[in-house]
Amino acid sequence: MDTKEGTPGQSQLSHQLLKVVLLCACLLGVLLSLVQVFIEARQTSIAIDKRGQEILAMIHEPAHKALSRFDNKMAQEILNGVMEVSSVRAAAIRLEDQSLLARTERPLSHSRYRLLTDAIFTPIRTFRHSMSADSHAPSASGEVILHFDTAYEGKSFVQRSVTIVLVGLVRAITMALVLFFIYSTLLTKPLNRLIFHLTGINPEHPGKAQLPIPKGHEKNELGLWVATANKLLHSIDKHYSLRQKAEERIMRLSQYDYLTRLPNRRSLQKHLNRLIKKANSNDSMAVICLGLDDFKSLNIQLNFNAAEHVLVKLSDRLRNHVNNSTYLGRLGEDQFAIILTNVGQPYEAAELTQSLLQEFEKPFVINDEFLTVTATAGITLFPNDGDNVDKLLQQAEFAMIMAKSRNRNRYQFYIATIDSDIRQRKRLEMDLHQALEKQELSLVYQPQFSCENGELVGVETLIRWHHPDRGLISPDLFIPMAEQSMDIIPIGNWVLETACQQLKQWQNSGYHGLRMAINLSAVQLQDPDIVDRVIYLLNKYQFSPDALELEVTETFIMEDVEIAKLQLNQLKSLGITLTLDDFGTGYSSLGYLKQFPFDKVKIDKSFIEGLPEHKENDAIVDAIIQIGKSFGMVVLAEGVETLEQELCLKEKGCQEGQGYYYGKPLPADAFIEHLTNLDVLPRIPGRANG
C-alpha cells in the first residue's frame, strides 16, 4: 500500500478485510470439503458392500459343490482362496444344522486410522449367502459367510479425504487472495487517495478544494459518490456564514427562557457568580426566589395556552416593576429569581418582595374572566447567608418552600433552622414509608347525624399517625407526603380494608344502619386498580354497597378530569355512595356537579365558622345548600360545634351534620359506647333505644 496516501487506520481496514476474506474462504473451503468427504464416505461404504457381494458370487458355485459332496477339503481350499483378498478377515461354509463344513480367519489388521474408520464404517461387515439343496444332494443346504475388515478400505478413504480437504483449502484461499487483490485495486486504493485529498481540505472553507474522480470510475458508484461529495463541500462552504449566525442565535436562546424571554437558571447562575467574584467586603446582595402558589391547579383550571399566557403577563409585570440594577430570571416552570444588588439593609429586599407579591395579586383577564394569582417568596442575603452561587439559590428556594408550608402569599428570610426543618421533613418522609409496617397508623371514627331527626346516619373514617418520637402527626402534614411518595396507595388500601372490616363487625353486633364514609386521595382515584379493590372488599365482607361511602375533593378531581369521571362512574355502578368533599374551596364550577355522579356534597367547615352571625358565611352556606338540593344531592355540613349552628343549618334545609357537637373522632372500641350515652340523640339505627 502507498504509505504516502495511506494512514494507519486505512491500513488496518485493509488488514481487517484480508482477515475476514481469508476466514470466510477457509470456512467455506472446509465446509465444501466436508461435504465431499461425506459423499466419499458413502461411496466407500457402498464399494465395501459391493466387494463383499462380488466375492460371494464368485465362490457360490464351488462352495455349493463342496457342500453337496460334504467335501471338507474342497471347502477349505475355497476359503483359503478367498483369504487371498486382504480385506477378508474370516470366511466359513456352514451346514443347515449349524455345523461348520470349513472355516478360516485371521486377526484384525493394525491401522493408525482404525479409530476413525471403525466409527464411520464399523470394524467388521458380515455378508451371507444361503445355498439350498438340489436333486443330487437333497439333504445338502447351508450358507457361506464372509467377514470383511473395513480398515483396508477405510485407510484409502482417509487418505483421499485429507487430499480433498487440503485441495479445497488451497483452492478457497487462492480464490480469496484473488478477490482481495481485485477489491484492493478497484476500491481500496482509490478510496485511500480520496482520503488523502480529504485531509488536505481546509475545514473553514471546504468548498475551495475539490476531490478528484479516480480514473476509470467516472460513471460508476465511486464516481457518483465523489461528485456528490464535491457538491456537499460546496454547499457547506456556501452556507458557512449562515451556520455561524445560527450557532450564535442558539447560544443566545440557550441563555434565555423560550416563553418569557427572561434569563434562564444557567444565565442566572453565571450572572450571580460574576457579581460574587467582583464583590468586595462591603458589597451585599439579596437573592429572591419567587414561586407561584398552586400553579398546578391553575394549569388544570385553564388550558395550556392560557396558563402560559399568565406566565408571560407575570413576567412583564416583573420587568416593569424592577429597575435596571435588578437582575430578573426564570428558575423553573412556576419560579422566578430576582438578584438585588447594593442592599444596604435587609428591609430593602423585604420591601421589594412585598411590592412584587402585591403586584401579582392584581387580577388578570383570561377568557373574559378575572383571575387572581398569588405567590410566595424566599430571601437569602450575600454574604451573610452564603458566598457561592449554588448555596444562595438553594437557600432562597428552601426559604420559599418553608414559607409555603406555613402559609402562602408571604415572604420569608432564610434562617439556619430552615436546613434543619428540611432535613426533619425528609426524615419524616422516610419514617412514613415504614409507618404502616410498624403499625403506627390507626383509624378513628366521627359520627354523622341527620339534622332533621337526630338519627345517626353515618361514620367518617379518619386516619391518625402516632410517631414513636414526635407523637401525633397531623394528617394535613403526612397525607401530602404520602401522596407525593406514592405511599398513599398501600396506606389507602389498608384504610379501606380496616374500615370495611370494622363496619362488618358493627353490623354483626346489630348496628345495621351505619354508613361508612372513607376519603379517597387523588392518587388513589387515578389508580386503575381502585375499582377492583372496592369490588373485592364488597365481596369479602358481604355488606350492602350503599353502606359504603367514598369521599373525594374537587381539587383532586381536577388533577385529571377524564380519568376521574371514568373511575367515579365505575364506582357508582357498584351501588356505593359518592360524596364531593370540601365543596367551594377549590376552583371547580357548577358544571362539575353535572358531569360527575355525586350523591352528596359536604360544606367545608371554614364556611360553618361564625354561623349564624357571620353574614358572608351564612350566604355561602345557604347558596351551597340550595345548589345541592337543585342537583338532587344530600348536603352535609362539617365542623358543627354548637346547637345554634345546627339549628341554623336545619332551618336552611341542610340534611346532615358532622362535628364536635355530635361527637369527636374516637377509636372503634369507644365509638359505639360514646354515642349510646349521648342524651341529645334519640336513637342509633339498628339498636333498640335504652
Side-chain angles (χ1 to χ4, degrees):
M1 181 175 294
D2 191 346
T3 57
K4 181 180 177 181
E5 297 180 1
T7 66
Q10 298 158 9
S11 177
Q12 185 179 12
L13 178 61
S14 299
H15 292 163
Q16 290 177 351
L17 178 63
L18 178 59
K19 291 177 183 178
V20 172
V21 171
L22 288 177
L23 178 61
C24 293
C26 290
L27 291 176
L28 184 61
V30 170
L31 180 62
L32 294 176
S33 297
L34 290 178
V35 172
Q36 287 184 275
V37 169
F38 175 78
I39 296 172
E40 183 68 24
R42 185 172 181 82
Q43 291 176 346
T44 301
S45 179
I46 294 173
I48 293 173
D49 292 340
K50 183 178 180 181
R51 179 62 172 160
Q53 295 297 334
E54 289 176 350
I55 294 175
L56 284 178
M58 181 179 66
I59 65 173
H60 170 70
E61 288 299 331
H64 189 271
K65 290 180 180 180
L67 182 65
S68 301
R69 302 172 183 175
F70 297 100
D71 189 342
N72 298 80
K73 184 178 180 180
M74 180 180 179
Q76 190 65 45
E77 290 177 353
I78 294 172
L79 296 182
N80 289 338
V82 171
M83 293 300 288
E84 294 296 327
V85 180
S86 59
S87 56
V88 177
R89 177 184 176 272
I93 300 175
R94 188 170 58 187
L95 298 174
E96 185 179 19
D97 58 1
Q98 302 299 317
S99 60
L100 291 174
L101 183 61
R103 174 181 175 83
T104 182
E105 64 178 331
R106 59 184 164 205
L108 285 173
S109 64
H110 296 286
S111 173
R112 57 181 174 176
Y113 307 117
R114 177 170 286 282
L115 185 62
L116 175 63
T117 58
D118 286 354
I120 299 175
F121 303 112
T122 69
I124 299 296
R125 290 199 183 182
T126 302
F127 302 93
R128 301 173 183 272
H129 183 74
S130 299
M131 293 180 291
S132 59
D134 55 23
S135 58
H136 300 287
S139 60
S141 60
E143 63 179 349
V144 179
I145 304 172
L146 292 179
H147 296 287
F148 254 62
D149 186 349
T150 60
Y152 293 95
E153 297 293 336
K155 179 179 179 180
S156 300
F157 160 74
V158 171
Q159 293 172 345
R160 291 194 301 273
S161 298
V162 170
T163 302
I164 289 172
V165 172
L166 292 177
V167 170
L169 283 175
V170 171
R171 184 189 300 118
I173 292 173
T174 302
M175 183 62 69
L177 292 174
V178 171
L179 290 175
F180 173 75
F181 175 77
I182 295 173
Y183 174 85
S184 177
T185 302
L186 294 180
L187 187 59
T188 305
K189 288 185 177 180
L191 284 177
N192 286 338
R193 295 190 185 97
L194 290 176
I195 293 172
F196 173 75
H197 287 286
L198 280 173
T199 57
I201 293 177
N202 184 0
E204 299 294 331
H205 303 285
K208 293 184 178 180
Q210 294 289 295
L211 298 176
I213 298 178
K215 187 176 180 180
H217 295 276
E218 293 80 1
K219 296 182 180 181
N220 61 19
E221 291 85 350
L222 187 58
L224 179 62
W225 183 90
V226 173
T228 305
N230 286 332
K231 291 180 181 178
L232 180 61
L233 292 173
H234 178 72
S235 177
I236 293 174
D237 187 46
K238 180 179 179 181
H239 298 285
Y240 179 73
S241 59
L242 296 177
R243 178 173 62 84
Q244 286 184 317
K245 293 179 181 179
E247 288 177 351
E248 294 174 357
R249 183 170 180 271
I250 291 172
M251 182 61 67
R252 289 195 300 270
L253 291 175
S254 68
Q255 298 175 355
Y256 290 86
D257 176 57
Y258 78 97
L259 179 64
T260 62
R261 302 306 178 190
L262 293 174
N264 56 22
R265 177 182 283 269
R266 183 180 178 183
S267 297
L268 275 166
Q269 290 173 326
K270 288 183 176 180
H271 183 74
L272 183 56
N273 188 51
R274 287 194 296 267
L275 292 176
I276 291 174
K277 289 181 177 180
K278 290 168 55 178
N280 56 45
S281 58
N282 297 323
D283 289 341
S284 60
M285 292 182 289
V287 179
I288 305 168
C289 180
L290 191 148
L292 303 184
D293 294 333
D294 204 13
F295 181 71
K296 186 177 182 180
S297 297
L298 177 66
N299 210 354
I300 296 172
Q301 180 186 2
L302 304 172
N303 58 49
F304 180 75
N305 292 330
E308 286 193 339
H309 185 55
V310 171
L311 286 174
V312 173
K313 285 194 171 184
L314 288 174
S315 303
D316 292 339
R317 287 187 182 181
L318 289 173
R319 285 194 190 91
N320 296 331
H321 197 75
V322 300
N323 55 38
N324 294 332
S325 63
T326 303
Y327 194 81
L328 174 66
R330 186 183 181 189
L331 285 178
E333 181 183 18
D334 59 348
Q335 292 184 10
F336 300 90
I338 300 98
I339 302 175
L340 182 62
T341 58
N342 301 322
V343 178
Q345 296 294 330
Y347 74 84
E348 297 176 8
E351 288 179 349
L352 174 62
T353 305
Q354 185 61 46
S355 64
L356 291 175
L357 296 180
Q358 292 174 353
E359 190 71 19
F360 272 34
E361 288 182 342
K362 296 178 182 179
F364 295 95
V365 179
I366 303 294
N367 299 331
D368 298 328
E369 294 184 7
F370 286 96
L371 179 69
T372 301
V373 178
T374 62
T376 302
I379 307 172
T380 186
L381 301 175
F382 168 86
N384 297 339
D385 297 331
D387 58 359
N388 65 74
V389 174
D390 293 336
K391 190 172 184 179
L392 289 171
L393 287 175
Q394 184 184 58
Q395 289 173 347
E397 290 186 71
F398 278 177
M400 181 197 67
I401 292 172
M402 293 308 299
K404 284 189 175 185
S405 67
R406 295 169 181 170
N407 199 2
R408 295 183 177 183
N409 194 22
R410 61 189 296 269
Y411 66 85
Q412 176 172 318
F413 280 92
Y414 173 80
I415 53 178
T417 56
I418 286 182
D419 285 335
S420 176
D421 291 341
I422 293 292
R423 286 194 294 269
Q424 289 181 9
R425 183 179 179 89
K426 293 297 182 182
R427 284 196 296 268
L428 197 62
E429 290 177 357
M430 295 175 62
D431 293 341
L432 178 60
H433 187 65
Q434 300 176 340
L436 186 60
E437 180 181 351
K438 293 182 177 181
Q439 299 182 350
E440 297 172 2
L441 301 178
S442 61
L443 298 182
V444 294
Y445 304 90
Q446 188 172 28
Q448 299 173 338
F449 285 88
S450 169
C451 294
E452 300 173 354
N453 55 27
E455 179 181 349
L456 177 66
V457 293
V459 180
E460 181 175 9
T461 304
L462 303 171
I463 189 170
R464 297 290 183 263
W465 180 18
H466 296 271
H467 192 278
D469 299 324
R470 300 181 57 175
L472 192 64
I473 306 295
S474 171
D476 293 337
L477 178 60
F478 74 81
I479 291 297
M481 289 183 184
E483 290 176 337
Q484 186 175 8
S485 65
M486 298 302 292
D487 286 332
I488 195 66
I489 296 297
I491 291 175
N493 290 338
W494 173 81
V495 171
L496 280 170
E497 175 85 25
T498 306
C500 290
Q501 183 182 26
Q502 185 60 60
L503 176 62
K504 186 62 177 179
Q505 290 179 4
W506 283 337
Q507 289 184 351
N508 292 339
S509 300
Y511 298 96
H512 300 292
L514 290 178
R515 183 181 63 241
M516 184 69 74
I518 306 171
N519 289 281
L520 286 185
S521 74
V523 179
Q524 286 179 278
L525 190 60
Q526 295 173 3
D527 183 6
D529 298 328
I530 184 63
V531 178
D532 293 335
R533 181 70 181 171
V534 173
I535 294 173
Y536 165 76
L537 293 175
L538 292 174
N539 293 332
K540 180 177 181 179
Y541 293 105
Q542 293 296 311
F543 52 74
S544 176
D546 58 9
L548 181 62
E549 178 180 330
L550 298 180
E551 298 183 4
V552 295
T553 64
E554 54 181 328
T555 53
F556 290 166
I557 293 174
M558 294 174 63
E559 295 284 340
D560 195 319
V561 174
E562 294 303 320
I563 291 180
K565 186 186 301 183
L566 175 64
Q567 297 281 61
L568 290 174
N569 282 322
Q570 291 180 346
L571 290 170
K572 180 62 179 175
S573 66
L574 302 179
I576 64 177
T577 302
L578 295 179
T579 299
L580 179 61
D581 196 8
D582 298 338
F583 180 71
T585 61
Y587 295 98
S588 66
S589 62
L590 296 180
Y592 284 103
L593 294 180
K594 294 190 294 183
Q595 293 184 40
F596 298 101
F598 291 113
D599 304 289
K600 182 188 294 187
V601 60
K602 296 183 73 171
I603 306 175
D604 187 72
K605 62 182 179 181
S606 62
F607 300 128
I608 306 301
E609 295 176 356
L611 290 181
E613 292 82 7
H614 198 294
K615 299 303 181 183
E616 292 182 358
N617 283 1
D618 185 80
I620 293 174
V621 169
D622 188 58
I624 294 176
I625 292 174
Q626 298 307 317
I627 290 172
K629 286 186 174 182
S630 66
F631 283 101
M633 294 187 294
V634 176
V635 181
L636 182 146
E638 293 182 306
V640 181
E641 297 184 355
T642 65
L643 176 61
E644 290 76 12
Q645 290 175 342
E646 186 198 39
L647 293 176
C648 177
L649 292 168
K650 183 176 181 180
E651 181 181 351
K652 293 179 180 298
C654 182
Q655 294 100 321
E656 297 179 3
Q658 175 183 343
Y660 278 19
Y661 172 70
Y662 302 106
K664 297 181 179 180
L666 293 171
D669 54 0
F671 179 76
I672 294 296
E673 179 182 356
H674 175 74
L675 292 180
T676 307
N677 295 331
L678 288 179
D679 296 333
V680 297
L681 304 176
R683 69 185 183 89
I684 299 175
R687 300 289 287 183
N689 292 324

